[in-house]
PDB file of all heavy atoms in Angstrom:
ATOM      1  N   GLY I 259      23.838   1.074 -17.341  1.00 91.00           N
ATOM      2  CA  GLY I 259      22.385   1.150 -17.345  1.00 91.00           C
ATOM      3  C   GLY I 259      21.889   0.981 -15.934  1.00 91.00           C
ATOM      4  O   GLY I 259      22.586   0.399 -15.099  1.00 91.00           O
ATOM      5  N   HIS I 260      20.719   1.508 -15.623  1.00 88.00           N
ATOM      6  CA  HIS I 260      20.121   1.190 -14.326  1.00 88.00           C
ATOM      7  C   HIS I 260      18.606   1.325 -14.387  1.00 88.00           C
ATOM      8  O   HIS I 260      18.070   2.045 -15.232  1.00 88.00           O
ATOM      9  CB  HIS I 260      20.730   2.018 -13.188  1.00 88.00           C
ATOM     10  CG  HIS I 260      20.188   3.408 -13.081  1.00 88.00           C
ATOM     11  ND1 HIS I 260      20.620   4.442 -13.871  1.00 88.00           N
ATOM     12  CD2 HIS I 260      19.241   3.937 -12.267  1.00 88.00           C
ATOM     13  CE1 HIS I 260      19.974   5.542 -13.551  1.00 88.00           C
ATOM     14  NE2 HIS I 260      19.121   5.281 -12.580  1.00 88.00           N
ATOM     15  N   HIS I 290      19.006  -6.782 -19.496  1.00 95.00           N
ATOM     16  CA  HIS I 290      19.435  -6.857 -18.096  1.00 95.00           C
ATOM     17  C   HIS I 290      18.552  -5.964 -17.215  1.00 95.00           C
ATOM     18  O   HIS I 290      18.069  -6.401 -16.162  1.00 95.00           O
ATOM     19  CB  HIS I 290      20.907  -6.430 -17.975  1.00 95.00           C
ATOM     20  CG  HIS I 290      21.420  -6.398 -16.569  1.00 95.00           C
ATOM     21  ND1 HIS I 290      22.175  -7.418 -16.028  1.00 95.00           N
ATOM     22  CD2 HIS I 290      21.269  -5.479 -15.568  1.00 95.00           C
ATOM     23  CE1 HIS I 290      22.464  -7.128 -14.765  1.00 95.00           C
ATOM     24  NE2 HIS I 290      21.928  -5.954 -14.457  1.00 95.00           N
ATOM     25  N   GLU I 291      18.306  -4.744 -17.658  1.00 94.00           N
ATOM     26  CA  GLU I 291      17.478  -3.825 -16.860  1.00 94.00           C
ATOM     27  C   GLU I 291      16.033  -4.321 -16.788  1.00 94.00           C
ATOM     28  O   GLU I 291      15.357  -4.148 -15.779  1.00 94.00           O
ATOM     29  CB  GLU I 291      17.547  -2.403 -17.412  1.00 94.00           C
ATOM     30  CG  GLU I 291      18.948  -1.790 -17.413  1.00 94.00           C
ATOM     31  CD  GLU I 291      19.715  -1.947 -16.098  1.00 94.00           C
ATOM     32  OE1 GLU I 291      19.072  -1.919 -15.027  1.00 94.00           O
ATOM     33  OE2 GLU I 291      20.949  -2.139 -16.148  1.00 94.00           O
ATOM     34  N   HIS I 294      15.564  -6.609 -14.052  1.00 89.00           N
ATOM     35  CA  HIS I 294      15.377  -5.926 -12.765  1.00 89.00           C
ATOM     36  C   HIS I 294      13.898  -5.604 -12.527  1.00 89.00           C
ATOM     37  O   HIS I 294      13.415  -5.605 -11.404  1.00 89.00           O
ATOM     38  CB  HIS I 294      16.206  -4.656 -12.691  1.00 89.00           C
ATOM     39  CG  HIS I 294      17.639  -4.915 -12.330  1.00 89.00           C
ATOM     40  ND1 HIS I 294      18.000  -5.545 -11.168  1.00 89.00           N
ATOM     41  CD2 HIS I 294      18.794  -4.649 -12.995  1.00 89.00           C
ATOM     42  CE1 HIS I 294      19.326  -5.645 -11.128  1.00 89.00           C
ATOM     43  NE2 HIS I 294      19.824  -5.124 -12.231  1.00 89.00           N
ATOM     44  N   VAL I 308      20.636  -8.113  -5.265  1.00 75.00           N
ATOM     45  CA  VAL I 308      20.224  -7.442  -6.490  1.00 75.00           C
ATOM     46  C   VAL I 308      20.175  -8.407  -7.668  1.00 75.00           C
ATOM     47  O   VAL I 308      19.226  -8.438  -8.418  1.00 75.00           O
ATOM     48  CB  VAL I 308      21.135  -6.238  -6.798  1.00 75.00           C
ATOM     49  CG1 VAL I 308      20.669  -5.530  -8.047  1.00 75.00           C
ATOM     50  CG2 VAL I 308      21.128  -5.272  -5.625  1.00 75.00           C
ATOM     51  N   HIS I 309      21.242  -9.213  -7.806  1.00 84.00           N
ATOM     52  CA  HIS I 309      21.253 -10.190  -8.896  1.00 84.00           C
ATOM     53  C   HIS I 309      21.153 -11.590  -8.291  1.00 84.00           C
ATOM     54  O   HIS I 309      22.169 -12.241  -8.046  1.00 84.00           O
ATOM     55  CB  HIS I 309      22.520 -10.052  -9.745  1.00 84.00           C
ATOM     56  CG  HIS I 309      22.653  -8.698 -10.372  1.00 84.00           C
ATOM     57  ND1 HIS I 309      23.722  -7.877 -10.174  1.00 84.00           N
ATOM     58  CD2 HIS I 309      21.818  -8.019 -11.183  1.00 84.00           C
ATOM     59  CE1 HIS I 309      23.550  -6.747 -10.837  1.00 84.00           C
ATOM     60  NE2 HIS I 309      22.391  -6.813 -11.461  1.00 84.00           N
ATOM     61  N   PHE I 313      17.869 -14.527 -11.291  1.00 91.00           N
ATOM     62  CA  PHE I 313      18.163 -13.408 -12.194  1.00 91.00           C
ATOM     63  C   PHE I 313      19.309 -13.798 -13.126  1.00 91.00           C
ATOM     64  O   PHE I 313      19.219 -13.665 -14.343  1.00 91.00           O
ATOM     65  CB  PHE I 313      18.530 -12.179 -11.357  1.00 91.00           C
ATOM     66  CG  PHE I 313      18.797 -10.929 -12.147  1.00 91.00           C
ATOM     67  CD1 PHE I 313      17.912  -9.856 -12.103  1.00 91.00           C
ATOM     68  CD2 PHE I 313      19.948 -10.805 -12.917  1.00 91.00           C
ATOM     69  CE1 PHE I 313      18.160  -8.698 -12.827  1.00 91.00           C
ATOM     70  CE2 PHE I 313      20.205  -9.647 -13.640  1.00 91.00           C
ATOM     71  CZ  PHE I 313      19.313  -8.595 -13.591  1.00 91.00           C
ATOM     72  N   GLU I 317      19.475 -14.262 -17.158  1.00 94.00           N
ATOM     73  CA  GLU I 317      20.333 -13.397 -17.957  1.00 94.00           C
ATOM     74  C   GLU I 317      21.065 -14.207 -19.029  1.00 94.00           C
ATOM     75  O   GLU I 317      21.248 -13.763 -20.152  1.00 94.00           O
ATOM     76  CB  GLU I 317      21.338 -12.721 -17.023  1.00 94.00           C
ATOM     77  CG  GLU I 317      22.086 -11.600 -17.683  1.00 94.00           C
ATOM     78  CD  GLU I 317      22.933 -10.823 -16.706  1.00 94.00           C
ATOM     79  OE1 GLU I 317      23.383 -11.405 -15.705  1.00 94.00           O
ATOM     80  OE2 GLU I 317      23.134  -9.634 -16.955  1.00 94.00           O
TER      81      GLU I 317
HETATM   82 ZN1  LIG V 203      21.851  -5.156 -12.561  1.00 95.73          ZN
END
Side-chain angles (χ1 to χ4, degrees):
H260 80 279
H290 177 100
E291 299 312 326
H294 279 302
V308 182
H309 300 122
F313 183 110
E317 192 172 29

